[in-house]
């Protein structure tokens, strides 16, 4: 297949490009390098089946030749990134998604949208199944991301219903692993780097909020299952192993053998208090479930950060 991956130079995108090339696909990565890097594509750049287009997807996507699948990952994704670039987050979710759908329609391709657990907002249902509509502040600081992704889902479903576009929506829960940007501000990279450097780990709020962390290899395997299926979704992809942020901090300190302390910092506005995917749909429709537990995934991630920085 020939697969266009928007945001392919980012954390998830670079692992996806690698996985697709490894199984024999041709890959066109479209990325403006706003949060991705060429270093993430090291080893792929010279691959005969890999092309890189430096381009902002909110301005349209032009890819010549046949395309079988468009995977739309391009978007600021970490909270500090989308809070710093609110208009870009909205543009990637709206105009970027429209451009990805238009390319899929011109090519007769399937379009797979990377949505997010953030569309559930501060959830009143726990764990979150796909049938839960969410509880989102439409004008809060995080709305630029949450509502962009909710609009992206609505736009994708409207194209599917009105034009018959073949689409698939995945709702990705917190994912971690090698190639997280050291300064992207997400909790796993922040904690691992602080622990390795002997600096304090900053707990936002009391650290009692929960997240469910999925190792990147599992997540990418789930994305590939969705690429290969004809399911429309939305389908949750995540690891139901739920941890409080304080538990995550102590696990990272133990696994790194660090003497770092914990320090409290203010809880960001609208930070969800709990999040855990119900993955029964992914198990049933895609035959997918994560296999890497938090300790093993964190150990691999710590090793990577140790050798990379
Ligand atoms: P990332 O920041 O590492 O990657 C995003 C990539 O998109 C970067 O390479 C960036 O340069 C590119 N990009 C951003 N705006 C662009 C634009 N307008 N035009 C072209 N390229 C653009 O983030 P990630 O963690 O790899 O996330 C990838 C996708 O998965 C995002 O859509 C994100 O919302 C979604 N997601 C990720 C997670 C997670 O835990 N990593 C969770 C839920 C959803
Ligand atoms: N968090 C934290 N310390 C940090 C970074 C994040 O306590 O250095 C908390 C944050 O408030 C949130 C959780 O960890 O409750 C996950 O944050 P992240 O930014 O990784 O993802 P998201 O909020 O999008 O789930």
């Amino acid at each position: 297949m020939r697969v266009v991956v928007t945001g392919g130079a980012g954390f998830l995108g670079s692992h996806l490009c690698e996985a697709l090339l490894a199984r024999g696909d041709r890959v066109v990565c479209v990325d403006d390098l706003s949060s991705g890097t060429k270093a993430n594509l090291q080893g792929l750049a010279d691959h005969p089946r890999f092309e890189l287009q430096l381009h902002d997807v909110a301005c349209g996507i032009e890819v010549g030749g046949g395309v079988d699948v468009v995977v739309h990952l391009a978007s600021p994704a970490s909270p500090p990134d989308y809070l710093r670039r609110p208009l870009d987050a909205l543009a990637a979710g709206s105009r970027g998604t429209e451009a990805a759908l238009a390319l899929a329609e011109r090519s007769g391709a399937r379009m797979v949208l990377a949505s997010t657990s953030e569309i559930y907002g501060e959830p009143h249902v726990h764990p979150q199944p796909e049938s839960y509509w969410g509880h989102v502040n439409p004008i809060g600081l995080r709305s630029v991301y949450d509502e962009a992704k909710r609009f992206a889902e609505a736009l994708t479903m409207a194209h599917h219903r009105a034009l018959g576009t073949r689409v698939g929506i995945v709702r990705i829960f917190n994912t971690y692993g090698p190639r997280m940007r050291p300064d992207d501000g997400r909790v796993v990279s922040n904690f691992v780097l602080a622990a390795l450097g002997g600096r304090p780990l900053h707990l936002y709020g009391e650290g009692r909020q929960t997240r469910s962390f999925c190792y990147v290899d599992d997540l990418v395997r789930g994305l590939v299952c969705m690429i290969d299926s004809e399911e429309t979704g939305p389908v949750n992809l995540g690891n139901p192993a739920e941890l409080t942020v304080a538990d995550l901090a102590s696990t990272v300190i133990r696994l790194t053998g660090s003497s770092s302390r914990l320090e409290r910092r203010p809880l960001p506005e609208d930070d969800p208090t709990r999040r855990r995917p119900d993955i029964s749909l992914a198990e049933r429709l895609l035959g997918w479930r994560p296999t890497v537990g938090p300790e093993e995934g964190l150990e691999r991630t710590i090793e990577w950060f140790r050798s990379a920085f």
Side-chain angles (χ1 to χ4, degrees):
M1 290 203 298
R2 186 156 182 258
V3 185
V4 173
V5 181
T6 78
F11 164 51
L12 296 183
S14 60
H15 286 277
L16 177 65
C17 290
E18 227 167 60
L20 294 171
L21 288 170
R23 70 175 197 167
D25 290 341
R26 286 185 291 155
V27 174
V28 183
C29 164
V30 184
D31 200 299
D32 65 358
L33 300 185
S34 49
S35 62
T37 63
K38 283 197 173 166
N40 284 343
L41 301 173
Q42 235 172 17
L44 304 189
D46 298 330
H47 196 291
R49 282 183 276 108
F50 181 78
E51 297 164 56
L52 172 62
Q53 253 195 36
L54 295 181
H55 184 68
D56 176 353
V57 295
C59 302
I61 310 174
E62 291 299 331
V63 172
V67 174
D68 300 293
V69 182
V70 181
V71 187
H72 182 38
L73 294 169
S75 169
S78 86
D81 280 353
Y82 62 70
L83 295 174
R84 201 167 39 240
R85 301 172 45 221
L87 301 182
D88 293 339
L90 286 158
S94 54
R95 296 199 298 274
T97 304
E98 187 141 47
L101 286 161
L103 172 63
E105 280 148 13
R106 286 196 304 275
S107 318
R110 171 167 167 82
M111 198 286 252
V112 174
L113 171 70
S115 184
T116 166
S117 56
E118 277 284 319
I119 68 108
Y120 298 120
E122 172 60 36
H124 288 170
V125 173
H126 192 74
Q128 293 80 56
E130 293 82 353
S131 54
Y132 178 52
W133 291 355
H135 178 231
V136 170
N137 175 352
I139 56 162
L141 289 176
R142 287 173 93 102
S143 66
V144 297
Y145 182 65
D146 305 4
E147 296 291 12
K149 292 287 186 177
R150 289 171 71 96
F151 177 79
E153 287 200 12
L155 189 66
T156 300
M157 289 309 296
H159 276 248
H160 173 62
R161 293 187 183 113
L163 304 174
T165 317
R166 290 182 299 117
V167 302
I169 300 174
V170 288
R171 293 181 178 156
I172 302 171
F173 284 63
N174 298 61
T175 302
Y176 68 99
R179 299 204 194 122
M180 293 186 87
R181 226 175 65 231
D183 61 348
D184 93 348
R186 285 186 266 206
V187 68
V188 172
S189 40
N190 275 6
F191 282 2
V192 170
L193 281 168
L196 290 176
R199 295 184 303 277
L201 278 63
H202 294 156
L203 279 190
Y204 300 168
E206 311 245 316
R208 283 204 297 258
Q209 68 272 36
T210 70
R211 295 293 187 272
S212 301
F213 296 97
C214 188
Y215 188 65
V216 64
D217 290 1
D218 278 334
L219 198 282
V220 165
R221 198 166 40 77
L223 278 177
V224 171
C225 290
M226 193 58 166
I227 287 171
D228 289 346
S229 88
E230 283 300 323
E231 297 296 339
T232 303
V235 177
N236 287 338
L237 291 180
N239 189 325
E242 184 180 4
L243 291 177
T244 66
V245 168
D247 284 343
L248 174 71
S250 21
T251 308
V252 168
I253 286 177
R254 176 168 53 78
L255 294 176
T256 49
S258 171
S259 54
S260 290
R261 291 173 296 104
L262 304 185
E263 277 182 13
R264 294 271 171 81
R265 286 290 183 275
L267 188 68
E269 179 181 306
D270 292 339
D271 195 290
T273 52
R274 54 190 186 161
R275 204 183 277 154
R276 176 182 176 189
D278 177 333
I279 59 163
S280 32
L281 204 59
E283 290 179 319
R284 188 157 52 79
L285 298 182
L286 305 178
W288 175 86
R289 57 175 12 259
T291 59
V292 182
E295 297 241 343
E296 185 186 348
L298 284 171
E299 273 170 1
R300 291 189 203 172
T301 307
I302 289 165
E303 268 330 294
W304 182 80
F305 273 104
R306 243 194 247 282
S307 60
F309 299 100

